[in-house]
Amino acid sequence: MVQILPVAALLAGSALLLLAGGLHGLLLPLRGSAEGFSDTSLGLLGTGWAIGYVAGCLMTPIIVSRVGHIRSFGVFCSLAAIVVLLNLLILHPAGWIPLRAISGFCFAGAAMVVESWLNERATPETRGRIFGLYTMINLGATTAGQMLLTMGDPAGYFFFVLGSIVYSMALLPTALSTAAAPTPLAQARLDLRALWRNSPVAVTGVFLVGISNSAFGTLGAVYGRQIGLSVTSIASMMSIALLAGALIQLPIGMLSDRMDRRFVLIGLAACGCLIGALLSLGSGFPVLLTIALVGAFGGMVYSMYPVIVAHANDHSPPGEFLKTSGGLLLLFGAGSVVGPLLAAILMTMTTPSGLFGVTSAAHGTIIAFTLWRITQRKPVAPAEREDFVAMASATRFSTPEALSLDPRAEEEQEDESAALPDLPEEKLSQRPAST
């Protein structure tokens, strides 16, 4: 506990950031649906968020290098708070879609600043503990933000004001922190050819999982509303899906460490297809059964991303964890741009179950492609595999700085330091992590 106290303020800021993000992310589709926004417009909210988030991951290191961490974080949080209030003042899709992109940009930037501070304060002895605690806090805060909607009616102004207040509060712990400014932020670069040579399954799978997860994360609440669920049931449904995705990662990870991860990925995708087919029946099930099925669906789809990342790192050369994981992050983001729009179009053309038509198509493609690749490449021997590490990929993308917090990144940086014995120690400490 004593080792965690120096980063307590930073963890508190992250918790408030994710609390506001969880509330805001679920509030918009519910309120937009109540206002009569089309499914396509609601899907474009998710597309806008994904574009803004990926842009934030790419541009935040440049912004921070110019104006510093504290100023950047203050701007990101303040602008995010303003956006929430503008959502209330401008109740129109033409305003909400670009505002959602700005929100995603600010959210990515603020998260990267907090994560860079945590990465700076972490030591080899505390890194794993801080990484695990950070993941747990973010999961709990996001879930709590979604469940706040059970306290009232999203048709009013209360939750917009509350979200703005919490975003503003998120900047206080970091602004008052006495921690020294961290080193420059990590930057993610996409080398598609290198990733493809490393693992075609990872490249294809992570893009398709981005489509599936973003479609469900953006329009799951809309699906619930269109089949007649109450706001409380919708919030519970989306929160249980998130929690199930976190809880099931440990047994899934243990299984994937003992067998070919590609078979585990196929099994998760097949279960996702089956449960999605059942959910496509929509209003034919009792509410509790629908919530249970969505929870099981979330457990499957939210466990696929870390399995794919682990599989890619099994095949990557030594010392390239950050490069490989950072590239997959951007591919996941690219899929997340496409997913909500595809699902919204299909929901408009058919029924609410069109959402699961998109997820099933993505999962079916993963199954077919992975089965073919199994015939082309032998699995990595268990003794040569990287250890599976749970990752929070459910409600937002990881950032390059979150990847730097991973204990495997510390091992990689130690290897780099060992390979550069002629550099003074102070020079090594100033070398930025790069992905």
Side-chain angles (χ1 to χ4, degrees), residues 190 192 200-214 305 308 327-339 342 362 365-366:
L190 179 59
L192 191 56
V201 166
V203 170
T204 305
V206 81
F207 179 78
L208 291 168
V209 167
I211 290 176
S212 169
N213 288 15
S214 63
Y305 179 78
I308 292 171
L328 293 176
L329 160 69
L330 296 184
L331 279 175
F332 182 86
S336 298
V337 171
V338 178
L342 288 178
T365 306
I366 290 173

Side-chain angles (χ1 to χ4, degrees), residues 244-269 271-272 296-311 385-391:
L247 293 175
I248 202 173
Q249 283 192 35
L250 181 58
I252 291 297
M254 294 174 62
L255 180 63
S256 73
D257 284 340
R258 289 166 172 77
M259 63 182 295
D260 190 338
R261 297 194 206 273
R262 293 174 295 182
F263 285 116
V264 177
L265 180 61
I266 289 171
L268 291 172
C271 290
F297 181 81
M300 298 299 109
V301 301
Y302 289 152
S303 298
M304 296 170 71
Y305 179 78
V307 170
I308 292 171
V309 172
H311 172 72
R385 294 176 189 162
E386 295 282 344
D387 291 335
F388 178 92
V389 175
M391 304 181 72

Side-chain angles (χ1 to χ4, degrees), residues 35-68:
E35 293 289 336
F37 291 6
S38 68
D39 290 341
T40 302
S41 297
L42 295 174
L44 283 171
L45 294 179
T47 296
W49 164 267
I51 292 173
Y53 201 98
V54 173
C57 289
L58 295 173
M59 296 181 63
T60 295
I62 300 172
I63 296 172
V64 171
S65 68
R66 292 181 176 178
V67 302

Side-chain angles (χ1 to χ4, degrees), residues 158-195:
F158 173 76
F159 289 114
F160 289 92
V161 175
L162 180 61
S164 181
I165 290 173
V166 177
Y167 267 132
S168 299
M169 290 174 60
L171 65 85
L172 298 180
T174 305
L176 297 174
S177 174
T178 58
T183 54
L185 276 67
Q187 291 181 282
R189 296 182 179 87
L190 179 59
D191 186 346
L192 191 56
R193 290 184 179 179
L195 286 174

